[in-house]
């Protein structure tokens, strides 16, 4: 009788504990208009952020990361809701291509990122949801804002005049992590997280991974990359922190008017130095991956790549082939300085005639064929970008600024209720 009674008690305890856990998972972390973010959603995303950032999964790191992770999730819900309103969709193929791009940046084999996340107990749907939100917002801002951004010839002339005066000045290739502070109550939590991120960077955590998970600006989707900046174009606080640094260094935590910044100096140079023989190129590449198991010899793969690309007469045909192949590493780089291309690519395109396919070149996991779509020498304007490059840069800067305002307006108009 006692044994049977004990068994009943144990069964009741198990059921009660299981019910409590289920209730905890179903609790609401935040309400965003008519959608909820559950504790389960937050837990999955928090685990992703910790693993991708190299944080140890402990109570202290979770406590510090939760506010920023939840705020980023709220922003993503607002972005996805706006995408739904505008009937903007992102396909599974687009998500997969973006994930493959992250793998390539981190020298991972195809499928390596999701395998690594699964091994570390991360729900891979959380990673796909984050990528889908980033891609959706890029499409939304492009559709809504692009048509309103007009760059006049006078603006380009002014920019060229400014750049001429900047030749010979220090120029920095920068990446950023930005933690916004919208109210005094967020000051301490943002500072503590920023200090913890700096600790992780010192311990060897990848800057791009931290930026993707925690940065709250448009550059986050690209790993925080800002681009080349001349010192005179930097805010005073950031300029003072960046100027004494060397390539590969990271600033301390910088308090600006809107939050905290961590800036990485990816590279540095003197503006215009050594560019007298530089060119502005538009280059396409088509990637032929090694078959699974590398069953096909390299010579056969190269012959097939040459067979498909050699007859192509222009970049339109080249682009059509890349679409048919649906290769994640096929891409187009428009109006870039030859000197800004990787050294291995420069070697291939330096003397490649326009609209002629290169010979297949070896890569980590396949072969790549290049084609130069256009080539513009700088001539008397040595060291200066082309007018088209300047136009695109102004457009990108305005898109970034207007995108921040767009998201700010969505926040202000939304009903957001934090339950934690």
């Amino acid at each position: 009788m006692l044994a049977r009674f004990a068994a009943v008690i144990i069964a009741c305890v198990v059921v009660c504990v299981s019910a409590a856990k289920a209730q905890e998972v179903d609790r609401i972390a935040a309400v965003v208009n008519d959608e909820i973010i559950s504790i389960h959603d937050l837990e999955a995303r928090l685990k992703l952020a910790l693993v991708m950032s190299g944080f140890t999964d402990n109570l202290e790191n979770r406590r510090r990361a939760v506010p920023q992770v939840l705020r980023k999730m709220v922003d993503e819900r607002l972005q996805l809701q706006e995408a739904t309103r505008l009937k903007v969709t992102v396909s599974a193929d687009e998500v997969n291509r973006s994930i493959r791009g992250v793998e390539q940046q981190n020298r991972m084999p195809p499928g390596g990122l999701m395998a690594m996340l699964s091994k570390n107990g991360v729900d891979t749907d959380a990673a796909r949801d984050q990528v889908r939100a980033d891609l959706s917002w890029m499409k939304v801002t492009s559709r809504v804002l692009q048509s309103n951004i007009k760059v006049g010839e006078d603006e380009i002339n002014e920019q060229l005049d400014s750049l001429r005066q900047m030749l010979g000045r220090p120029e920095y290739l920068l990446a950023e992590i930005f933690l916004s502070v919208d109210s005094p109550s967020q000051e301490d939590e943002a500072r503590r997280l920023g200090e913890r991120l700096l600790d992780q960077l010192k311990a060897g955590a990848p800057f791009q991974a931290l930026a993707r998970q925690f940065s709250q600006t448009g550059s986050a989707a690209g790993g925080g990359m800002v681009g080349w900046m001349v010192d005179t174009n930097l805010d005073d606080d950031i300029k003072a922190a960046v100027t004494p640094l060397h390539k590969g260094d990271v600033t301390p935590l910088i308090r600006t008017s809107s939050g905290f910044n961590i800036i990485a100096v990816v590279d540095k140079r003197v503006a215009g130095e050594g560019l007298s023989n530089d060119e502005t190129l538009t280059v396409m590449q088509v990637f032929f991956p090694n078959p699974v198991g590398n069953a096909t010899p390299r010579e056969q793969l190269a012959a097939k790549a040459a067979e498909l690309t050699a007859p192509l007469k222009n970049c339109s045909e080249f682009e059509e082939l890349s679409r048919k192949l649906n290769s994640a590493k096929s891409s187009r780089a428009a109006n870039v300085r030859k000197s800004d291309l990787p050294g291995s690519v420069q070697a291939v395109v330096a003397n490649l005639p326009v609209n002629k396919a290169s010979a297949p070149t070896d890569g980590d996991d396949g072969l790549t064929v290049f084609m130069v779509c256009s080539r513009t020498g700088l001539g008397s304007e040595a060291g200066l970008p082309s007018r088209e490059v300047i136009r695109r840069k102004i457009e990108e800067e305005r898109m970034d600024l207007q995108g921040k305002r767009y998201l700010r307006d969505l926040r202000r108009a939304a009903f957001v209720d934090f339950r934690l």
Side-chain angles (χ1 to χ4, degrees):
M1 178 67 72
L2 289 175
R4 182 178 298 176
F5 180 74
V8 171
I9 293 297
I10 292 172
C12 289
V13 170
V14 170
V15 170
C16 291
V17 169
S18 299
K21 288 183 177 179
Q23 186 177 12
E24 176 70 18
V25 167
D26 292 337
R27 278 182 54 212
I28 296 173
V31 179
V32 187
N33 291 321
D34 58 350
E35 294 185 29
I36 67 168
I37 298 173
S38 70
I39 295 293
H40 175 74
D41 297 331
L42 178 58
E43 166 66 24
R45 184 57 173 274
L46 183 60
K47 183 71 174 177
L48 170 66
L50 293 172
V51 170
M52 290 297 293
S53 305
F55 282 124
T56 302
D57 190 353
N58 59 35
L59 186 61
E60 179 62 17
N61 286 336
R62 282 173 168 261
R63 184 182 66 79
R64 291 180 176 180
V66 159
Q68 292 292 336
V69 170
L70 184 56
R71 288 171 64 197
K72 191 168 176 64
M73 291 180 72
V74 167
D75 284 349
E76 288 174 5
R77 288 298 174 96
L78 292 172
Q79 292 166 346
L80 287 168
Q81 288 170 7
E82 185 69 356
T84 299
R85 186 182 73 82
L86 296 174
K87 296 181 172 58
V88 170
T89 60
V90 173
S91 69
D93 284 344
E94 289 174 300
V95 172
N96 290 335
R97 283 197 294 270
S98 182
I99 291 172
R100 183 66 192 118
V102 174
E103 290 172 336
Q104 291 163 8
Q105 290 175 358
N106 291 276
R107 301 182 180 276
M108 302 174 74
L113 177 60
M114 292 301 160
M116 182 275 289
L117 293 176
S118 294
K119 183 178 179 180
N120 285 277
V122 176
D123 182 353
T124 56
D125 285 343
R128 293 184 179 279
D129 288 344
Q130 183 180 21
V131 172
R132 184 174 289 105
D134 289 339
L135 294 176
S136 297
W137 187 241
M138 289 171 61
K139 286 188 173 185
V140 166
T141 53
S142 179
R143 176 184 295 187
V144 174
L145 304 177
Q146 190 71 55
S147 61
N148 297 326
I149 297 176
K150 306 295 183 184
V151 180
E153 294 302 313
D154 288 345
E155 293 177 275
I156 297 175
N157 291 334
E158 290 177 6
Q159 186 71 22
L160 275 170
D161 289 339
S162 177
L163 289 172
R164 290 187 187 100
Q165 297 173 18
M166 293 177 186
L167 291 177
R169 297 200 62 84
E171 190 174 22
Y172 304 91
L173 180 60
L174 302 178
E176 66 175 349
I177 295 173
F178 174 67
L179 306 175
S180 66
V181 176
D182 298 326
S183 66
S185 63
Q186 298 171 356
E187 179 87 16
D188 287 343
E189 73 180 38
R191 178 185 287 106
R192 286 196 297 268
L193 178 59
E195 291 169 349
R196 189 71 184 95
L197 293 175
L198 284 172
D199 290 341
Q200 287 300 108
L201 289 169
K202 291 175 184 176
F207 192 96
Q208 290 185 334
L210 294 177
R212 283 194 181 92
Q213 297 304 319
F214 294 103
S215 185
Q216 295 174 297
T217 189
S219 63
M225 290 301 299
V226 177
W228 284 100
M229 301 285 290
V230 176
D231 63 343
T232 54
N233 286 346
L234 298 173
D235 292 341
D236 290 341
D237 292 336
I238 293 178
K239 179 181 176 181
V242 164
T243 299
L245 300 185
H246 300 288
K247 177 180 176 180
D249 288 346
V250 176
T251 68
L253 203 58
I254 305 170
R255 182 63 165 99
T256 63
S257 59
S258 53
F260 291 94
N261 284 80
I262 301 172
I263 307 294
V265 179
V266 181
D267 202 354
K268 61 188 300 184
R269 65 190 181 190
V270 175
E273 186 175 67
L275 297 177
S276 58
N277 296 318
D278 207 353
E279 298 174 300
T280 298
L281 306 175
T282 294
V283 180
M284 283 204 63
Q285 66 178 39
V286 173
F287 179 70
F288 295 84
N290 289 327
V292 176
N294 294 325
T296 303
R298 190 266 181 203
E299 293 76 13
Q300 291 184 24
L301 184 62
K304 184 65 175 178
E307 177 187 345
L308 291 173
T309 57
L312 303 181
K313 299 180 177 61
N314 54 56
C315 281
S316 295
E317 295 180 2
F318 213 67
E319 193 165 15
E320 179 61 27
L321 174 63
S322 72
R323 280 197 293 268
K324 289 180 179 177
L325 294 175
N326 195 29
S327 173
K329 288 180 69 173
S330 298
S331 62
R332 179 188 185 101
N335 297 304
V336 296
R337 286 178 178 174
K338 183 175 68 178
S339 60
D340 286 338
L341 294 170
S344 58
V345 178
Q346 289 185 45
V348 175
V349 304
N351 298 310
L352 185 65
V354 174
N355 292 328
K356 180 177 176 60
S358 73
T361 61
D362 284 307
D364 293 336
D365 49 1
L367 300 174
T368 304
V369 180
F370 295 91
M371 178 177 282
V372 176
C373 308
S374 65
R375 185 191 301 273
T376 305
L378 295 175
S380 61
E381 296 283 18
L384 296 176
S386 68
R387 297 180 69 85
E388 182 59 27
V389 169
I390 292 174
R391 183 190 306 278
R392 287 176 180 269
K393 183 171 178 58
I394 296 174
E395 289 176 346
E396 289 170 0
E397 290 173 350
R398 291 184 180 173
M399 279 284 287
D400 182 60
L401 179 60
Q402 292 190 28
K404 290 177 181 177
R405 291 173 178 169
Y406 193 171
L407 181 56
R408 179 198 63 195
D409 292 343
L410 289 178
R411 288 189 193 119
R412 289 177 174 175
F415 170 76
V416 179
D417 180 18
F418 290 95
R419 299 288 181 87
L420 294 181

